């Protein structure tokens, strides 16, 4: 395992604890650690120096996740879950990153637990006071402190059983009431800590009053979800509490003694406005009696049928009705029903993509090919449809068609990944790979819609990915605009035989960085360190002395250099 880890040092660095912490918040990483067992079969590929790993991760449904790593570039993650589509880091991609690291022979080590905190003297003093004095103090302070008053109300709600539904609502509200200053990012964590108490309240009702427990779970879910949206909840801190409320609803409903209509209505309330796809529909269906499942499905089908053909239907309501009915069919395992629904409504590229993915999921490969080709003709250049069409072509061995798509993709948006995918497709199709490479480079001379600096950076990235450093050095002998990040990646990849050239380019980058650098000079100091690794000890000592002399007008920078 040590050899495996050493041979994959750049990738392991991108998967290290520190690197994962830069890309995923602690709360997301904590949930991802519990999802590692939900990661499906791994599909690893390499395109030049670029490494790619794909897998499905089972969450509320199976999500397609992909991680891409290229030397000198931070790990890129893609997932089709709602959080990732909304631009947020998701737990499914983090879980796959942890599994990838473990596969390479390095475990993801949890942070050491913090040492226990010694109780302060004032806490020991409080414990020594008589109960009557403490009770009076609490009452006096609660009269002037709304936060303390709300906490005491929540405590009372836990201690006293609710006499009726209205009292139960008030008890739930005592835990979820917003602080007097309102909910915002600063007060959100403390609000969630108090809101956790609602679980104890519901647990107290599960055995004796399951119907009330189910109602309370729904009330709390709706209110907490609304609050999370208002605050933004960028780190998804409310996720675990919301999931716990859903699980309690699923526990309570089978014992609630409700009619089919009441069960269906409660399920509909639970799933109403589930934009974040938090609710596991399959678990909800499993908690309902068959009559309720049929009734609920019928209501959703009827609502969709009404809105589907209304020319003046509100688009938001129409999409919500379709998503609800679609989610129900998937959770119920009704393949024919799902495919029929998707074929009825092919208005957008995403509609076509959903049909292609459903056909593949239900084991209809030939129909999936036909649907993907039809979708591509209707919506050319759509990335999702292009990926779906490539997947079905590659699966069936349609190498010439794959090559044509890869060519079009590189011409439309040249990149390192598109370049290596094109060359791989050319080799698979038996085409002249050298000629294909020449066409790509010729395209970079005439590509439209890109600045000269952007194309220069792409050239450097391509040379770096293929290890063609001599060609790049010859090309760089002519002055031209160069993006600093691409140049830095290229310099860092230069082998030891080119240490002199690497040091020269690092010095140029440092000169540019120092024009706008400010304390603590992190970027400039990183360039200095990289330059010193490319110089001999004596040359490095002399250059560092010259650097201090040259920049003596910047004493803060000179002071920072003394730490090297």
């Amino acid at each position: 395992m040590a050899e495996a880890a050493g041979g994959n040092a750049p990738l392991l660095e991108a998967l290290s604890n520190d690197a994962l912490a830069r890309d995923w918040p602690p709360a997301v990483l904590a949930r991802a650690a519990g999802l590692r067992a939900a990661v499906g079969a791994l599909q690893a590929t390499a395109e030049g120096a670029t490494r790619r790993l794909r897998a499905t991760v089972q969450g509320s449904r199976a999500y397609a996740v992909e991680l891409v790593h290229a030397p000198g570039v931070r790990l890129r993650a893609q997932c089709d879950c709602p959080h990732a589509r909304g631009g947020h880091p998701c737990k499914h991609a983090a879980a796959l990153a942890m599994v990838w690291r473990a596969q390479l022979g390095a475990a993801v080590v949890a942070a050491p637990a913090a040492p226990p905190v010694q109780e302060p003297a004032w806490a020991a003093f409080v414990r020594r006071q008589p109960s009557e004095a403490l009770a009076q103090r609490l009452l006096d302070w609660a009269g002037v402190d709304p936060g303390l008053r709300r906490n005491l109300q929540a405590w009372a709600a836990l201690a006293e059983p609710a006499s009726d539904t209205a009292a139960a609502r008030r008890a739930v509200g005592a835990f979820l009431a917003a602080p007097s200053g309102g909910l915002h990012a600063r007060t959100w964590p403390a609000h969630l800590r108090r809101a956790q108490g609602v679980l104890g309240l519901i647990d107290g009702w599960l055995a004796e009053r399951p119907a009330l427990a189910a109602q309370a779970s729904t009330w709390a879910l709706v209110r907490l979800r609304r609050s999370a949206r208002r605050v933004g909840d960028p780190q998804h801190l409310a996720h675990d509490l919301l999931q716990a409320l859903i699980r309690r609803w699923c526990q309570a409903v089978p014992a609630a003694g409700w009619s089919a209509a009441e069960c269906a209505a409660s399920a509909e309330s639970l799933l109403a406005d589930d934009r974040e796809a938090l609710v596991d529909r399959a678990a909800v269906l499993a908690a309902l009696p068959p009559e309720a499942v049929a009734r609920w499905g019928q209501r959703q089908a009827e609502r969709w049928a009404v809105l589907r053909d209304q020319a003046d239907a509100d688009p938001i309501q129409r999409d919500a009705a379709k998503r609800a009915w679609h989610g129900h069919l998937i959770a119920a395992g009704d393949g024919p029903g799902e495919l029929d629904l998707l074929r009825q409504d092919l208005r957008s590229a995403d509609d076509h993509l959903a049909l292609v993915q459903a056909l593949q999921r239900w084991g209809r490969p030939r129909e999936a090919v036909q649907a993907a080709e039809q979708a591509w003709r209707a919506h050319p250049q759509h990335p999702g449809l292009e990926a779906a069409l490539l997947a079905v072509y590659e699966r069936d061995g349609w190498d010439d068609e794959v090559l044509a798509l890869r060519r079009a993709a590189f011409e439309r948006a040249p990149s390192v990944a598109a370049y290596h995918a094109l060359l791989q497709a050319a080799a698979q199709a038996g085409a002249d790979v050298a000629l294909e490479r020449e066409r790509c480079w010729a395209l970079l001379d005439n590509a439209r819609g890109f600045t000269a600096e952007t194309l220069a950076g792409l050239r450097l990235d391509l040379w770096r990915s293929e290890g063609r450093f001599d060609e790049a050095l010859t090309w760089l002998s002519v002055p031209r605009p160069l993006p600093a990040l691409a140049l830095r990646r290229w310099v860092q990849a230069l082998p030891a035989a080119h240490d002199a050239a690497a040091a020269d380019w690092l010095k140029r980058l440092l000169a540019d960085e120092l024009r706008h650098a400010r304390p603590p000079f992190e970027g400039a100091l990183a360039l200095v360190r990289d330059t010193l690794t490319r110089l001999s000890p004596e040359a490095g000592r002399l250059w560092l002395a010259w650097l201090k002399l040259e920049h003596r007008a910047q004493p803060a920078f000179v002071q920072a250099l003394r730490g090297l």
Side-chain angles (χ1 to χ4, degrees):
M1 284 192 180
E3 293 180 3
N8 292 287
L11 177 56
L12 281 170
E13 173 60 28
L15 296 169
S16 67
N17 287 338
D18 290 341
L20 294 182
R22 285 194 297 269
D23 292 328
W24 284 277
V28 176
L29 287 175
R31 291 195 293 273
L35 265 184
R36 282 178 285 178
V39 176
L42 304 180
Q43 301 174 24
T45 58
E47 301 166 353
T50 300
R51 306 279 291 277
R52 193 180 302 268
L53 186 70
R54 297 186 181 93
T56 57
V57 180
Q58 187 65 45
S60 56
R61 65 173 179 81
Y63 294 112
V65 186
E66 179 181 74
L67 299 177
V68 181
H69 175 260
V73 180
R74 287 171 71 169
L75 194 69
R76 296 200 309 274
Q78 292 182 333
C79 179
D80 60 356
C81 75
H83 288 305
R85 289 201 303 268
H88 303 296
C90 77
K91 60 184 177 181
H92 312 104
L96 182 57
M98 293 177 180
V99 169
W100 199 359
R101 181 177 173 184
Q103 186 192 46
L104 294 172
V108 179
V109 181
V117 180
Q118 185 175 3
E119 187 173 66
W122 63 263
F125 167 78
V126 169
R127 293 184 187 282
R128 293 196 300 269
Q129 305 312 304
S131 58
E132 295 82 0
L134 288 176
Q136 189 58 51
R137 286 278 187 176
L138 281 174
L139 291 172
D140 292 342
W141 288 336
V144 295
D145 186 340
L148 176 58
R149 192 161 55 248
R150 282 192 297 273
N151 283 331
L152 292 176
Q153 288 168 345
W155 186 15
L158 280 174
E160 299 174 5
S163 56
D164 53 30
T165 303
R169 271 188 178 275
R170 288 194 297 272
V172 170
F175 287 98
L176 302 178
S180 56
L183 280 175
H184 44 77
R186 185 173 56 82
T187 60
W188 183 236
H191 176 72
L192 286 178
R193 285 194 294 272
R194 188 174 75 248
Q196 288 281 346
V198 79
L199 297 179
L201 189 66
I202 294 170
D203 288 343
W205 293 329
L206 271 173
E208 301 298 328
R209 305 182 67 183
L212 189 60
Q215 288 177 306
S217 299
T218 305
W219 300 333
L221 176 74
V222 171
R223 185 162 178 174
L224 186 62
R225 184 164 53 191
R226 190 185 304 126
S227 296
R229 288 174 183 165
R230 187 163 58 249
V231 173
D233 196 20
Q235 296 184 340
H236 314 305
L237 299 179
H239 181 275
D240 290 342
L241 178 53
L242 290 166
Q243 291 288 344
L245 290 168
I246 295 165
R247 287 194 296 273
R248 279 159 176 77
W249 183 93
C250 292
Q251 288 178 259
V253 165
W258 284 338
S259 67
E262 289 172 323
C263 287
S266 182
E268 194 162 347
S269 299
L270 192 75
L271 278 154
D273 196 26
D274 185 30
R275 283 177 265 165
E276 296 83 6
L278 285 166
V279 182
D280 183 348
R281 290 175 178 266
V284 170
L285 290 181
L288 298 175
E291 300 82 2
V293 173
R295 188 182 184 95
W296 184 28
Q298 181 181 358
R299 290 174 62 177
Q300 293 182 88
E302 290 172 351
R303 183 181 297 115
W304 164 241
V306 169
L307 292 172
R308 180 189 61 201
D309 300 323
Q310 278 187 8
D312 58 347
D314 183 316
I316 296 177
Q317 292 183 0
R318 187 182 187 281
D319 289 346
K322 181 179 179 180
R323 283 197 307 272
W325 180 220
H326 187 203
H328 183 90
L329 291 168
I330 293 175
D334 186 352
E338 181 191 2
L339 295 176
D340 183 54
L341 166 66
L342 295 175
R343 287 190 176 107
Q344 290 173 7
D345 192 52
L346 294 174
R347 296 190 175 197
S348 68
D350 288 340
D351 293 333
H352 282 276
L353 180 58
L355 176 60
V356 174
Q357 292 171 337
L359 287 166
Q360 291 177 302
R361 191 169 63 251
W362 291 109
R364 301 192 183 186
R366 303 311 307 158
E367 293 177 64
V369 173
Q370 295 168 1
E373 290 177 332
Q374 177 187 352
W376 184 246
R377 287 192 294 270
H379 301 277
Q381 300 185 6
H382 184 276
L385 289 175
E386 182 180 59
L389 189 57
L390 280 167
V392 296
Y393 280 165
E394 288 173 343
R395 182 200 62 213
D396 293 346
W398 293 23
D399 298 331
D400 291 337
E401 286 77 5
V402 170
L403 179 57
L405 283 174
R406 294 294 188 191
R407 281 174 179 157
F410 184 79
E411 291 172 6
R412 184 173 67 254
S415 67
V416 174
Y419 173 78
H420 287 293
L422 172 54
L423 298 186
Q424 184 178 356
Q428 185 67 28
D432 188 331
V433 176
L435 180 59
E436 203 67 52
R437 180 179 283 109
E438 290 178 13
R439 287 175 180 163
C440 290
W441 286 90
L443 177 69
L444 296 182
D445 292 328
N446 304 294
R448 296 181 179 179
F450 300 91
T451 65
E453 186 174 346
T454 298
L455 290 174
L458 179 57
R459 284 177 177 274
L460 287 174
D461 284 337
L462 289 174
W463 274 316
R464 175 177 56 83
S465 70
E466 293 189 312
R468 295 159 63 189
F469 298 107
D470 291 331
E471 292 179 50
L473 286 167
T474 302
W475 181 77
L476 285 169
S477 63
V478 177
R480 62 186 80 243
L482 297 167
L485 288 176
L487 184 59
R488 178 81 179 273
R489 289 194 296 266
W490 175 80
V491 171
Q492 288 176 327
L494 279 172
H498 294 294
D499 273 350
D504 182 55
W505 278 106
L506 286 167
K507 290 175 183 178
R508 297 189 204 184
L509 286 167
L510 176 62
D512 290 339
E513 174 73 18
L514 286 173
R515 290 192 182 98
H516 53 79
R518 296 289 183 274
F521 303 103
E522 293 178 356
L525 292 176
L527 286 166
V528 172
R529 293 189 193 94
D530 287 349
T531 306
L532 290 173
T533 63
R534 298 289 188 159
L535 298 171
S536 67
E538 179 63 18
R541 185 184 63 78
L542 292 173
W543 176 69
L544 199 56
W546 172 87
L547 203 59
K548 293 174 182 176
L549 184 64
E550 178 71 12
H551 294 280
R552 58 187 178 277
Q554 293 178 282
F557 177 60
V558 173
Q559 181 65 31
L561 288 174
R562 289 174 182 158
L564 298 180

